[in-house]
């Protein structure tokens, strides 16, 4: 059964036009959903750690619902409707393999698209940047609330002085094996403190809580270990396509220092947009800004320009010698 994209304040859900299954290099299957009309400019969105395709509901609704784009979203392995894998199946190489598989499955050969990733989805873009499949399809990239290295050391989730103790304790918190359990007022308060800005609305906090709490514990823990050892600085330098960066100034998980370093290191940087008071969940907290950035990239790097009108050819008289020659 198709999963419905619901947006806060929107009464009618959006239904996928197609559901696909992409097969990664190690045989892992990935759940893929396509929204919007065939033939529209393509946009591929990769969600972050503990999230799912539902994280992009606002962008899907706005860009595919009106027919502007054909939006492709997929569940990272172990998340949403993409099955869990064995212990050795969680790595940055797996992220890159999975993205290549999704691109090959959802796009036509040589078709160009805007690719966007939030948090671990942004890391997916960095991991895949040098891959043939990425270079075949990527026209431009948007990185939202992400980092390339030192995630645990730079995290501000724990209000402590930077140093080994904070790093060790942060690693323990992010990799905690305890189940998240049902969404409660306390769990929403904790999630808001750690991942969202102080001004995030209760509705958007609840939306993120539902998504995060649905992530299986095994995948959450396995990916936390990968992120704790992350080093994708070389991948940033491989992102040679036009790339824009968005970050919230109140992001505790990937503070703006990461976004600034990435924007400075990109070979073709389109600049950094810092959103005052916004936390880590930028596509949900500031959907209008993220959607506008995506629309801008699609318009600039993917949308097909209008074909100029061809001047009318004067009619040739029926008895002209030219028409007689053509009719022979």
């Amino acid at each position: 059964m198709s999963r419905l994209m619901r947006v806060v304040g929107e009464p009618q859900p959006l239904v996928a036009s197609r559901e696909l299954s992409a097969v990664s290099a190690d045989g892992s299957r990935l759940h893929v959903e396509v929204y919007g009309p065939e033939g529209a400019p393509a946009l591929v969105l990769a969600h972050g750690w503990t999230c799912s395709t539902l994280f992009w509901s606002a962008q899907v609704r706005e860009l595919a619902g009106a027919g502007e784009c054909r939006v492709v979203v997929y569940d990272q392995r172990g998340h949403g409707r993409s099955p869990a894998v064995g212990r050795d199946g969680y790595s940055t190489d797996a992220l890159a393999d999975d993205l290549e598989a999704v691109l090959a499955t959802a796009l036509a050969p040589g078709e160009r698209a805007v690719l966007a990733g939030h948090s671990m989805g942004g890391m997916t873009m960095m991991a895949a940047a040098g891959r043939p499949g990425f270079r075949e399809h990527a026209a431009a990239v948007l990185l939202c609330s992400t980092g390339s290295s030192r995630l645990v050391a730079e995290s501000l989730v724990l209000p402590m002085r930077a140093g080994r103790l904070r790093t060790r304790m942060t690693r323990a918190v992010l990799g905690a094996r305890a189940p998240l359990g049902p969404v409660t007022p306390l769990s929403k308060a904790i999630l808001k403190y750690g991942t969202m800005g102080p001004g995030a609305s209760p509705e958007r906090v609840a939306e993120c809580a539902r998504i995060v709490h649905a992530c299986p514990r095994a995948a959450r823990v396995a990916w936390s270990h990968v992120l704790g050892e992350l080093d994708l600085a070389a991948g940033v330098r491989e992102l040679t396509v036009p790339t824009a960066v968005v970050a919230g100034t109140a992001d505790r998980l990937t503070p703006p220092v990461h976004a600034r370093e990435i924007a400075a290191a990109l070979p073709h940087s389109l600049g950094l947009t810092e959103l005052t008071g916004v936390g880590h969940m930028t596509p949900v907290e500031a959907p209008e800004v993220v959607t506008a950035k995506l629309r801008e990239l699609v318009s600039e790097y993917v949308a097909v320009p209008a074909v100029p009108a061809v001047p009318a050819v004067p009619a040739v008289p029926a008895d002209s010698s030219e028409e007689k020659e053509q009719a022979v």
Side-chain angles (χ1 to χ4, degrees):
M1 181 180 292
S2 177
R3 182 164 45 186
L4 303 179
M5 288 283 184
R6 296 185 180 274
V7 181
V8 172
E10 292 283 351
Q12 295 298 322
L14 196 64
V15 182
S17 56
R18 286 190 295 151
E19 292 191 2
L20 308 171
S21 182
V23 181
S24 195
D26 64 355
S28 298
R29 291 191 171 273
L30 302 155
H31 175 73
V32 184
E33 299 170 6
V34 183
Y35 294 83
E38 293 298 322
L43 172 62
V44 180
L45 306 177
H47 69 75
W49 179 50
T50 73
C51 294
S52 69
T53 60
L54 296 175
F55 190 77
W56 295 106
S57 293
Q59 288 70 41
V60 171
R61 159 77 60 181
E62 185 70 19
L63 296 171
E68 289 183 61
C69 298
R70 187 172 82 260
V71 182
V72 178
V73 290
Y74 71 100
D75 286 322
Q76 301 271 21
R77 58 174 60 198
H79 294 74
R81 293 166 65 183
S82 291
V85 297
R87 181 178 300 177
D88 296 333
Y90 297 95
S91 67
T92 54
D93 281 341
L95 291 175
D97 289 340
D98 293 353
L99 178 60
E100 281 196 298
V102 169
L103 296 176
T105 300
L107 303 180
E111 182 180 7
R112 309 287 278 176
V114 168
L115 312 184
H118 168 260
S119 192
M120 192 173 80
M123 298 160 202
T124 300
M125 303 300 155
M126 301 174 212
R131 299 287 191 90
F134 182 93
R135 292 185 171 178
E136 176 186 356
H137 293 291
V141 168
L142 177 65
L143 302 176
C144 299
S145 310
T146 192
S148 62
S149 61
R150 306 189 320 281
L151 299 186
V152 176
E154 298 284 357
S155 171
L156 302 177
V157 170
L158 297 181
M160 300 170 59
R161 184 188 302 273
R164 292 182 180 178
L165 178 60
R166 189 183 75 176
T167 298
R168 186 164 62 250
M169 293 185 66
T170 299
R171 192 183 304 276
V173 169
L174 298 180
R177 294 180 175 274
L180 295 181
V183 176
T184 66
L186 177 59
S187 72
K188 286 188 289 187
I190 293 172
L191 180 129
K192 180 180 180 181
Y193 170 81
T195 69
M196 305 182 78
S201 71
E203 294 79 13
R204 287 177 174 166
V205 173
E207 180 183 1
C208 285
R210 286 192 297 270
I211 294 171
V212 170
H213 279 245
C215 180
R217 177 177 57 177
R220 171 170 53 84
V221 173
W223 279 119
S224 75
H225 295 158
V226 175
L227 301 181
E229 304 299 330
L230 192 74
D231 187 357
L232 290 172
V236 176
R237 296 190 292 272
E238 292 279 359
L239 272 173
T240 56
V241 297
T243 302
V245 184
V246 171
T249 61
D251 187 342
R252 297 178 189 274
L253 281 178
T254 53
V257 62
H258 294 289
R260 294 167 191 150
E261 289 179 358
I262 289 171
L266 286 167
H268 190 163
S269 176
L270 297 177
L272 165 63
T273 301
E274 294 193 21
L275 306 178
T276 303
V278 173
H280 184 67
M281 305 300 211
T282 43
V284 174
E285 293 183 75
E288 300 85 359
V289 175
V290 172
T291 300
K293 282 289 179 185
L294 292 171
R295 180 180 284 117
E296 179 183 322
L297 292 175
V298 169
S299 176
E300 180 71 20
Y301 298 102
V302 181
V304 179
V307 178
V310 178
V313 179
V316 179
D319 61 349
S320 71
S321 58
E322 179 178 351
E323 179 159 340
K324 291 179 181 178
E325 290 176 2
Q326 293 176 347
V328 174

